[in-house]
Amino acid sequence: MTNNLDNIERKAMVLPSDCGRRLDQVAAELFGEFSRSRLQQWIKQGELKVDDQQKVPKHKLLGGETLTINAHLEPEGDWQAEDIPLSIVFEDDHILVINKTANFVVHPAAGNRSGTVLNALLHHCPSLQSVPRAGIVHRLDKDTTGLMVVAKTLQAHTDLVLQLQARTVRREYEAVTVGCVIAGGTVDQPIGRHPHQRTKMAVITDGKEARTHYRVLKRFDSHSHLRVKLETGRTHQIRVHMAHIKHPIVGDDTYAGRLRIHKGTSIELQECLRQFGRQALHARELALVHPATGKEVGWTTDLPEDMQNLLEALAIG
């Protein structure tokens, strides 16, 4: 078994009990660290062979054959590496955990092809050019801060995607919301594209299932400090769910509507709320099973200074 930045080499024997089964099905079991779509691609390209012969994915095996992978990883996109600082919390040969700052888009898209986390990752670790989406397996919104895990290898990418799909990755956030939340609870409402504003998400009946758990850390006169746990990972999920229960996140121009100042609020707090230029949402805790060791690992990070200042201002009133 060899694996460098650009080449994958593997070998495995087909069991007699696999007689009559399809090549792509058996390959998915023997080479489980790679996705099914990736293995099918290698079969079709002749990079995954049966006894050194190219076969089609539905080829029926007899048992006893040797499957070999000799694949060259091609760049996944035309993104450019950029020397942009990253706050790295953890790094080894398999994964990278960063503490994302505010005003930092994660993935290039129309209108922002540069200056993103992905561009920064490619500069920090050039081999990510050969990993899907440069190893990015989940995202944070542009103005949400906190922890993100990045896969540094194809195998780690496959493993982390499966963990996210199985909902075994623990992601906990802290948020400051409008209004006094009486008690913790769960929002279990489907989320999909807003029917009229396509850049927004919304709770809609035919959306994808979405569950958000929250508990109160501290109540203020007209705001709440919450700990929020994601069970699913829909776009803008926390922001949409909190707005749905009439407790939108402070500073969220998209879902909170216009700023509402509670009667009796001090001038200092009014100014703090007006100047808070993003949604008050921070991915504080991340825990997962390490793709290489199989052991659970986790990280936490402190609230950024702007959220700490906001909480201090709320405490003073």
Side-chain angles (χ1 to χ4, degrees):
M1 178 191 299
T2 62
N3 188 27
N4 60 30
L5 296 183
D6 299 307
N7 294 292
I8 301 287
E9 294 181 14
R10 297 286 191 277
K11 182 180 290 188
M13 182 75 72
V14 179
L15 297 174
S17 58
D18 288 324
C19 179
R21 297 184 65 200
R22 289 171 52 127
L23 167 59
D24 55 356
Q25 294 174 334
V26 175
E29 295 176 5
L30 293 177
F31 307 113
E33 69 267 42
F34 305 112
S35 68
R36 288 175 179 265
S37 60
R38 175 75 60 169
L39 291 168
Q40 287 199 339
Q41 176 187 337
W42 285 343
I43 292 170
K44 292 172 183 177
Q45 293 175 345
E47 294 178 301
L48 194 166
K49 294 183 177 181
V50 181
D51 289 335
D52 292 327
Q53 295 183 343
Q54 183 173 354
K55 302 292 183 182
V56 295
K58 64 181 181 180
H59 171 76
K60 295 295 180 65
L61 296 167
L62 299 174
E65 299 99 326
T66 298
L67 304 188
T68 54
I69 298 174
N70 192 341
H72 180 74
L73 297 179
E74 298 292 340
E76 289 283 335
D78 59 353
W79 309 298
Q80 300 300 311
E82 295 180 53
D83 188 2
I84 303 170
L86 288 169
S87 175
I88 297 173
V89 176
F90 173 84
E91 183 175 15
D92 62 13
D93 291 339
H94 310 279
I95 61 175
L96 174 72
V97 177
I98 66 168
N99 182 16
K100 191 184 85 66
T101 56
N103 193 32
F104 200 2
V105 173
V106 169
H107 196 281
N112 52 270
R113 295 290 297 171
S114 63
T116 71
V117 171
L118 186 147
N119 300 113
L121 287 169
L122 290 176
H123 181 270
H124 175 75
C125 184
S127 63
L128 287 172
Q129 187 75 40
S130 301
V131 182
R133 296 185 181 276
I136 294 170
V137 292
H138 68 117
R139 303 189 194 185
L140 295 176
D141 296 335
K142 174 185 175 182
D143 284 324
T144 297
T145 56
L147 296 170
M148 278 182 55
V149 64
V150 176
K152 292 180 67 176
T153 67
L154 196 57
Q155 300 94 312
H157 183 274
T158 301
D159 187 275
L160 290 174
V161 168
L162 290 173
Q163 288 189 54
L164 285 162
Q165 291 173 345
R167 301 177 184 172
T168 56
V169 176
R170 189 170 78 252
R171 290 172 290 168
E172 295 197 7
Y173 295 68
E174 288 192 22
V176 181
T177 60
V178 177
C180 193
V181 179
I182 302 303
T186 297
V187 185
D188 188 354
Q189 295 290 339
I191 290 177
R193 285 284 168 195
H194 193 287
H196 307 299
Q197 298 170 276
R198 303 305 293 171
T199 58
K200 294 176 63 174
M201 308 300 288
V203 169
I204 57 174
T205 55
D206 59 346
K208 295 181 179 179
E209 69 167 330
R211 272 184 296 279
T212 304
H213 308 282
Y214 61 94
R215 63 184 177 90
V216 179
L217 294 177
K218 190 169 183 178
R219 298 181 190 87
F220 305 97
D221 288 342
S222 56
H223 294 83
S224 301
H225 181 196
L226 304 182
R227 174 69 59 85
V228 185
K229 182 178 180 181
L230 283 179
E231 185 174 328
T232 54
R234 307 303 174 202
T235 301
H236 298 177
Q237 179 173 319
I238 296 174
R239 299 165 63 191
V240 170
H241 273 172
M242 290 299 102
H244 180 72
I245 63 172
K246 310 302 183 188
H247 291 292
I249 294 173
V250 168
D252 191 345
D253 292 339
T254 303
Y255 298 105
R258 66 181 182 84
L259 176 64
R260 290 166 288 176
I261 301 295
H262 182 68
K263 187 177 180 180
T265 301
S266 69
I267 299 298
E268 292 78 12
L269 179 54
Q270 289 184 41
E271 191 64 20
C272 183
L273 290 168
R274 288 194 177 97
Q275 291 185 356
F276 200 85
R278 67 178 184 94
Q279 63 265 12
L281 183 61
H282 176 71
R284 183 184 176 95
E285 186 171 348
L286 175 69
L288 50 88
V289 174
H290 193 285
T293 67
K295 296 180 179 178
E296 182 165 315
V297 288
W299 305 269
T300 59
T301 183
D302 292 336
L303 287 176
E305 186 177 2
D306 61 350
M307 282 186 68
Q308 291 185 38
N309 292 339
L310 175 61
L311 289 169
E312 289 173 5
L314 287 168
I316 295 170

